[in-house]
């Protein structure tokens, strides 16, 4: 079972519609990228943390998922202090942290189904213009999601076979048979799709 | 697009996911671990051609943004796009397209049919231009924008990934050549 970024819950942030949250994210991100004052950046960061606290988002699993980003920010900040001085470094790191926290807040409080429905709203007008076919997009999504575990299994099989043949731990020798088998499978699946429609 | 094209797009997107989730390979004398995500993108371009490759990578990136953990290290979510490396993720879409545009037909080029070396060299150039050049062209300015680093300093910072990416382009070219010898789509 794969765990997505969504954390189910019933906070006020969970109840806001996905479209509104995405729009808010877009607007605030743009504003943050234009904001250059140290105090203002730090204030925004504090506000975001308070908002997250009220929605009970600052949990252990949250710290777990933000760890890699924190490391990245620390490294960039150190580099930035060295080449550009303290002020720029603080503004940039506070901004990065704010942006990442905001985006994570949206991801954590909005289910994949809700985000998909926003995607649908975007795709609909294009479908009416005949530029895309939303049914086929849904089909493609469905096949991909269905095939990820299948292909992981196939990858494991090929790896075990290669190790049994004595080619060792090198993953690269598995890629050619992996792709060839996948491409052959595509034809079979396409036949099945054609038979149904 | 025919059904088979749709299925190929879906399956190559799934294949990029599987490759991206292979644990990072530590390479001696390299400061950063090597993941197979970019390799997957280059291979998609070389094997599917510009249109289908761009769609497959678009599908992959969309899944990541929706929050399905398909990026290396099982990461996902909007934070990845908005973070400093977001441009590298978005850049993979036109990147795959350019790889396909330059490298998909390498074996059809006049005079190249018989020469494995030339076909591989051709695939390598395509992978470097699209999978490295275009991706960095979008990734580096994005990074300067988010981190406040200036352009050349950001370029030096991401330069540690360059040797690995150039090697991955070689691997992509060799693999694509071998695959295309047994099956063409």
């Amino acid at each position: 079972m794969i765990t997505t970024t969504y954390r189910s819950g019933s906070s006020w942030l969970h109840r806001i519609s996905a479209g509104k949250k995405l729009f808010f994210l877009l607007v605030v991100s743009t504003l943050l990228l234009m904001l250059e004052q140290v105090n203002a950046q730090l204030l925004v960061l504090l506000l975001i943390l308070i908002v997250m606290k009220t929605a009970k988002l600052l949990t252990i699993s949250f710290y777990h998922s933000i760890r890699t980003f924190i490391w990245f920010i620390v490294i960039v900040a150190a580099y930035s202090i060295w080449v550009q001085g303290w002020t720029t470094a603080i503004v940039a790191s506070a901004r990065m942290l704010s942006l990442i926290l905001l985006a994570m807040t949206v991801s954590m409080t909005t289910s994949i189904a809700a985000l998909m429905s926003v995607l649908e709203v975007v795709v609909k007008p294009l479908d009416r213009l005949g530029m895309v076919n939303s049914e086929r997009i849904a089909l493609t999504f469905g096949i991909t999601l269905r095939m990820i575990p299948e292909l992981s299994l196939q990858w494991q099989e090929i790896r075990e076979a290669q190790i049994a043949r004595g080619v060792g731990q090198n993953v690269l020798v598995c890629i050619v048979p992996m792709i060839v088998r996948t491409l052959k499978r595509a034809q079979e699946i396409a036949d099945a799709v054609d038979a149904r429609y | 697009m025919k059904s088979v094209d749709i299925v190929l797009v879906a399956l190559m997107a799934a294949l990029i996911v599987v490759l991206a989730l292979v644990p990072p390979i530590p390479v001696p004398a390299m400061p950063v671990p090597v993941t197979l995500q970019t390799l997957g993108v280059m291979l998609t371009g070389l094997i599917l051609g510009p249109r289908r490759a761009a769609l497959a990578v678009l599908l992959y990136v969309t899944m990541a943004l929706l929050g399905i953990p398909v990026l290396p290290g099982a990461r996902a979510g909007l934070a990845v796009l908005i973070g400093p490396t977001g441009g590298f993720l978005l850049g993979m879409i036109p990147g795959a397209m350019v790889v396909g545009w330059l490298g998909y037909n390498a074996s059809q080029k006049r005079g190249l049919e018989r020469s494995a070396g030339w076909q591989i060299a051709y695939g390598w150039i395509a992978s470097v231009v699209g999978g490295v050049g275009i991706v960095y062209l979008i990734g580096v300015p994005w990074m300067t924008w988010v981190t406040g680093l200036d352009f050349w300093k950001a370029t030096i910072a991401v330069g540690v990934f360059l040797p690995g990416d150039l090697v991955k382009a070689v691997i992509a070219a060799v693999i694509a050549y071998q695959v295309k010898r047994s099956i063409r789509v």
Side-chain angles (χ1 to χ4, degrees):
Chain A
M1 182 60 206
I2 51 171
T3 46
T4 62
T5 46
Y6 177 60
R7 301 278 171 273
S8 59
S10 56
S11 73
W12 61 278
L13 278 171
H14 283 86
R15 290 195 298 268
I16 303 174
S17 79
K20 275 183 199 151
K21 276 186 275 193
L22 285 175
F23 182 71
F24 181 77
L25 180 66
L26 190 72
V27 173
V28 177
S29 308
T30 316
L31 291 177
L32 273 176
L33 284 165
M34 294 188 299
L35 196 64
E36 295 293 342
Q37 287 89 7
V38 182
N39 295 339
Q41 281 288 358
L42 290 174
L43 185 70
V44 172
L45 182 57
L46 187 69
L47 279 175
I48 292 170
L49 285 171
I50 292 170
V51 166
M52 291 180 80
K53 185 80 195 158
T54 62
K56 297 196 178 65
L57 290 177
L58 300 174
T59 59
I60 290 166
S61 74
F62 166 74
Y63 291 122
H64 204 75
S65 49
I66 200 169
R67 233 175 17 197
T68 49
F69 287 113
I70 299 279
W71 274 114
F72 193 94
I73 293 173
V74 169
I75 292 164
V76 173
Y79 185 63
S80 184
I81 290 169
W82 180 44
V83 296
Q84 282 168 316
W86 283 94
T87 330
T88 326
I90 293 172
V91 169
S93 343
R95 174 193 290 150
M96 260 190 288
L97 198 55
S98 300
L99 290 174
I100 288 167
L101 288 175
L102 274 177
M104 285 181 85
T105 306
V106 175
S107 289
M108 282 190 295
T109 58
T110 319
S111 69
I112 290 184
L115 287 171
M116 286 280 248
S117 62
V118 175
L119 208 64
E120 231 179 273
V121 173
V122 178
V123 168
K124 266 273 162 57
L126 295 175
D127 195 353
R128 280 210 201 96
L129 290 171
M131 287 165 76
V132 294
N133 181 335
S134 44
E135 247 174 59
R136 303 210 121 187
I137 294 175
L139 178 68
T140 322
F141 254 102
I143 296 173
T144 306
L145 289 176
R146 176 69 189 83
M147 289 310 283
I148 292 169
E150 288 284 325
L151 291 188
S152 316
L153 207 66
Q154 182 181 307
W155 175 260
Q156 280 309 321
E157 280 170 18
I158 293 173
R159 282 218 63 180
E160 279 162 21
Q162 301 286 41
I163 290 168
R165 285 194 194 101
V167 276
Q169 294 292 319
N170 189 349
V171 293
L172 296 174
V173 292
C174 305
I175 300 179
V176 175
M178 181 74 192
I179 297 175
V180 172
R181 264 207 229 176
T182 307
L183 297 181
K184 283 185 179 150
R185 237 166 149 167
Q187 190 56 57
E188 290 164 24
I189 298 172
D191 291 342
V193 169
D194 283 335
R196 276 193 73 160
Y197 283 92
Chain B
M1 292 223 295
K2 286 184 289 186
S3 302
V4 69
D5 293 318
I6 286 176
V7 176
L8 281 169
V9 165
L11 286 193
M12 281 310 276
L15 191 70
I16 300 174
V17 175
V18 173
L19 287 180
L21 295 181
V22 170
I25 309 157
V27 180
M30 276 281 294
V32 284
V34 172
T35 67
L36 298 181
Q37 178 185 247
T38 27
L39 182 69
V41 172
M42 292 169 183
L43 283 169
T44 305
L46 292 174
I47 291 168
L48 292 188
R51 199 173 133 89
R52 292 176 298 182
L55 289 172
V57 179
L58 175 67
L59 181 60
Y60 173 69
V61 172
T62 309
M63 285 196 295
L65 297 186
L66 288 175
I68 305 165
V70 295
L71 299 177
R75 289 183 308 131
L78 294 159
V80 181
L81 180 67
I82 252 175
T85 55
F88 291 95
L89 187 65
L90 278 191
M92 291 191 316
I93 302 165
M97 192 179 208
V98 170
V99 173
W101 176 54
L102 293 174
Y104 178 56
N105 280 324
S107 58
Q108 252 85 356
K109 291 269 186 294
R110 198 197 289 265
L112 290 185
E113 306 93 340
R114 281 159 186 274
S115 161
W118 275 110
Q119 281 184 39
I120 290 170
Y122 213 84
W124 182 73
I125 293 168
S127 303
V128 169
V129 173
V132 183
I134 301 287
V135 172
Y136 280 52
L137 200 65
I138 296 167
V140 174
W142 187 288
M143 187 180 246
T144 62
W145 192 42
V146 176
T147 60
L149 287 170
D150 77 40
F151 184 79
W152 290 111
K153 282 160 188 159
T155 310
I156 295 165
V158 297
V160 290
F161 291 95
L162 195 62
D165 283 347
L166 294 179
V167 173
K168 276 185 251 179
V170 176
I171 298 168
V174 174
I175 290 174
Y177 169 74
Q178 289 175 333
V179 168
K180 283 171 169 180
R181 257 193 335 184
S182 58
I183 186 167
R184 267 197 81 83
V185 291

